[in-house]
Each structure stands twice: as structure tokens, then as C-alpha cells.
Amino acid sequence: MEFLAGSLLELIIETSTDLPPDVRAAMPWRRGWRRRDAIRPGAQCDPPERGYGGRGQGHLPGHRHADVRHPHSVGVDQIAIRKAILEAVAEATRRGKLRPNSVDSITGKNSGDNLGVETPVVHFEQWEEDRIEVRLILKGGGCENKNIQYSLPCELDHLGRADRNLEGVRKCLLHAVWQAQGQGCAPGALGVCIGSDRAHGYALAKEQLFRTLDDVNPNPALAELEAGIMEQANRLGVGAMGSAERLP
């Protein structure tokens, strides 16, 4: 457990201070876009080298989600693993790698160490491998606030009726980007689940955020949908801290 705690601390620091290659490659200035094309006039943002800089600068995100996969073994102690995760989060906060922003929902009091009731979020799952894997998502709370679910068929502002098919899903995804209006700590990534129940659907949608941005869906119909959404959503005019201009 001592080794695990050290590895978890290293994972948190690495995740909070260094963007992975697929994320760097997806940034507008990495793809040759001119700055004035990538960011709307009046938007508040740091220069690329500051806002999305190299290792050691830290993004200090506000939400922590750990997904733990472990073998089916008597020697695996989920309580001890959870404790190690909490200790690593508290230590990373003490070192200034995570902003202390976990606030009690009832009292409004900040714990100061990013620990509290059900925070950080930790999910456990058994798998057939003989090792423990911990995957970590660090994201702004604004992204969580802009989550949305749709029950098809439905009527959408500016887009009309969305039926219970992939075209209806496409409309819902565009509406989701539109209704966020740049408030979700942009730039952002969409994690989408089609089907399931309300609670598990959110979990499955968040699971998609572990995919690399250059990943191609193995389902041809979903791969086509994802590519189309990327192209259309990026034409909505929604920028970091900006507002949208139109729906196609």
C-alpha cells in the first residue's frame, strides 16, 4: 500500500501538470489555426504556452475521479486502496498540485485538503488481469455542471424534433454543446452514452473520457457519428468563455 500511495501521488502530479500527446495535438494552435480564428474576440484566456504549458505548471482542476480495476483476489483490499487514494489527493493538495476547492454541500465549508463526503469519487471494478490499474480524471467542476440527459423523442430549441435514432442523437449532442455555451471550462471533450438507465448512463458516458482523442470507434455507424459531431460542433462558434452564434 505504501508503494501504491507513492504511485498514486505520482499519477496525480503527472495528470495535473502535463497534457498527454493526444490532447496537445488537438489544441487549435497545434493544428496550425491562427489564434484569432481559434478564440472569439473578447474571450478571456491565457496564451497557449501559459494556459496549456509544459510539465510542472499544474492545471489545478476541480474534480477528481478515480477508476480502479483490480484482480479477483483475496489479497486485494478496496478499503486500503481507497485510503491510499485519499492520502495521495491530500498530499498533492498540500504540495499545490491540486487547488483546495472541495466544499461541503451543506455547510459550505472548504475542507482544505480536497477530501470530504464522496470526494474524490472512486469506482472499483474487477477484471481478469493480475494487476491493479488506476485511471484518473481531473476536470473542472463546470464540466460536471453542464452534463445533460435527453429522453427521445423530444423537441429541441432551434433543432426541432429529435427522434429515437442516430439522427436524433446527433441533434441532442449538438444541443448539448449549444446549451453549455462555453461554460464548461473549455476546451472540452464529449463523453456520450446511448441507452442504459439514467444513473448508469452517466457512468458509461464518463467512461468514454478515458479514450484518447484520436481514437476511432470500432462501430462504423458510431465512428461516422463521432466524426460528424466533431466537425459540426466546432462550427457552432462556441469558444472558451464565449457564446454561440448559430446552430446549423
Side-chain angles (χ1 to χ4, degrees):
M1 286 300 107
E2 182 178 352
F3 172 79
L4 178 60
S7 298
L8 290 168
L9 178 60
E10 182 179 346
L11 172 64
I12 293 173
I13 293 176
E14 178 80 10
T15 306
S16 66
T17 60
D18 190 20
L19 292 176
D22 62 304
V23 176
R24 289 180 179 273
M27 292 301 170
W29 44 89
R30 294 289 183 178
R31 291 183 289 165
W33 291 10
R34 294 175 298 173
R35 185 171 176 78
R36 65 185 181 188
D37 293 333
I39 302 171
R40 295 191 59 210
Q44 300 178 22
C45 59
D46 286 333
E49 64 275 12
R50 290 180 53 198
Y52 298 94
R55 293 187 58 179
Q57 294 189 18
H59 300 293
L60 309 178
H63 177 78
R64 291 147 293 281
H65 174 101
D67 184 86
V68 182
R69 295 193 282 191
H70 63 82
H72 176 64
S73 172
V74 177
V76 176
D77 187 342
Q78 290 188 1
I79 295 178
I81 294 175
R82 183 185 297 272
K83 182 179 178 181
I85 292 174
L86 298 183
E87 291 176 351
V89 168
E91 177 61 19
T93 304
R94 187 188 69 80
R95 296 189 186 189
K97 299 302 181 181
L98 295 174
R99 182 175 62 244
N101 63 352
S102 290
V103 177
D104 187 279
S105 300
I106 307 301
T107 66
K109 182 179 179 180
N110 192 318
S111 66
D113 58 6
N114 278 316
L115 304 182
V117 178
E118 295 299 324
T119 182
V121 176
V122 183
H123 288 168
F124 289 95
E125 179 185 0
Q126 290 184 344
W127 65 347
E128 296 182 356
E129 302 289 337
D130 61 354
R131 58 188 174 86
I132 297 175
E133 178 184 84
V134 181
R135 300 182 296 173
L136 180 67
I137 291 179
L138 301 179
K139 58 188 296 191
C143 298
E144 292 292 319
N145 291 336
K146 302 311 296 185
N147 286 342
I148 189 170
Q149 286 185 329
Y150 298 89
S151 296
L152 298 177
C154 64
E155 291 291 328
L156 301 173
D157 292 341
H158 304 286
L159 289 171
R161 179 182 172 87
D163 289 316
R164 195 171 296 172
N165 51 35
L166 286 184
E167 174 59 20
V169 171
R170 183 192 72 85
K171 289 184 177 181
C172 288
L173 295 181
L174 291 176
H175 184 267
V177 176
W178 173 265
Q179 62 87 33
Q181 292 288 297
Q183 299 174 49
C185 303
L190 293 176
V192 180
C193 169
I194 304 172
S196 190
D197 63 24
R198 289 188 178 274
H200 192 49
Y202 268 130
L204 292 175
K206 185 166 291 185
E207 176 77 14
Q208 299 304 301
L209 299 179
F210 287 113
R211 294 170 56 188
T212 59
L213 297 181
D214 55 0
D215 183 40
V216 177
N217 200 302
N219 184 308
L222 295 181
E224 182 179 359
L225 176 65
E226 290 176 355
I229 288 296
M230 279 291 294
E231 193 276 331
Q232 291 176 301
N234 282 328
R235 289 194 287 108
L236 293 183
V238 179
M241 301 181 71
S243 59
E245 296 173 352
R246 62 183 176 82
L247 277 174

